[in-house]
Amino acid sequence: MTEKEYFAQIREIRRHISAGRLECAEEQLTKMHAYKPVRLLWFVAKAEYVLAKEGDPSAALRVLDGERYLEKKFFFGKDYPGLKACMKFRIDTFRQMGRERDAIREEYCYQRACGKRGSRLEE
C-alpha cells in the first residue's frame, strides 16, 4: 500500500466516524493497524472513534498520549502528516472537557513546533 492510499483509507475511516458508522470504522481501523509504521493520523482516527463510541474525552486523549499503545506517535515538525489534525483534536477535546488552559497550552505547543512565535499564547 502506498502512502497516498494509506492516507486515503484513513480519510475514509474518519468520514465513517463523523457519519456515525462506528462498526465500519472499527473494522477498518483494525485492518489499517497492520500497516507499519502506524502513522499519527491513524491514532487521530482511533481517538475520534473512541470519543464517538465511549463519549469519554479522557479515554480519547489517552489514545494520543500513549497509555493504550506502546508506539511513539508524535514528531513535531512542520510537514509531519497528521500533526495538525492531532493537535486540533487535542485542543477541541480539552475545550470540551472545560480545560481551557490545557487547550491554550496545546495550541502554544503546536505553534512552537511549527516555528510560529505564539506570543499571544505566551502571556
Side-chain angles (χ1 to χ4, degrees):
M1 176 178 286
T2 67
E3 185 176 60
K4 189 175 183 176
E5 293 169 333
Y6 181 90
F7 287 125
Q9 285 286 86
I10 298 296
R11 279 193 302 277
E12 181 67 26
I13 292 168
R14 293 178 80 200
R15 280 194 290 270
H16 286 310
I17 294 166
S18 64
R21 297 185 300 265
L22 299 181
E23 300 83 25
C24 188
E26 181 179 26
E27 180 183 313
Q28 288 183 334
L29 277 168
T30 302
K31 263 194 251 181
M32 292 300 294
H33 191 264
Y35 292 97
K36 305 295 185 215
V38 178
R39 304 299 296 266
L40 177 58
L41 205 50
W42 182 91
F43 286 97
V44 173
K46 180 69 173 187
E48 290 170 344
Y49 167 78
V50 168
L51 182 60
K53 184 173 182 179
E54 298 177 15
D56 183 2
S58 297
L61 287 172
R62 280 194 299 273
V63 171
L64 297 174
D65 290 341
E67 291 183 29
R68 289 187 176 186
Y69 302 101
L70 299 176
E71 295 100 335
K72 175 132 175 81
K73 298 169 289 302
F74 289 95
F75 173 82
F76 285 104
K78 191 173 189 174
D79 297 325
Y80 194 75
L83 181 60
K84 183 177 181 178
C86 177
M87 297 310 286
K88 181 180 178 344
F89 179 82
R90 292 178 63 79
I91 291 165
D92 293 346
T93 303
F94 278 125
R95 285 200 171 110
Q96 180 182 349
M97 297 168 70
R99 294 170 53 185
E100 186 62 28
R101 287 186 183 265
D102 289 324
I104 291 170
R105 185 191 72 240
E106 291 292 323
E107 187 176 351
Y108 171 76
C109 289
Y110 174 65
Q111 288 183 1
R112 296 298 290 187
C114 294
K116 297 177 183 160
R117 289 239 176 246
S119 59
R120 177 182 69 83
L121 299 173
E122 288 176 347
E123 296 172 6

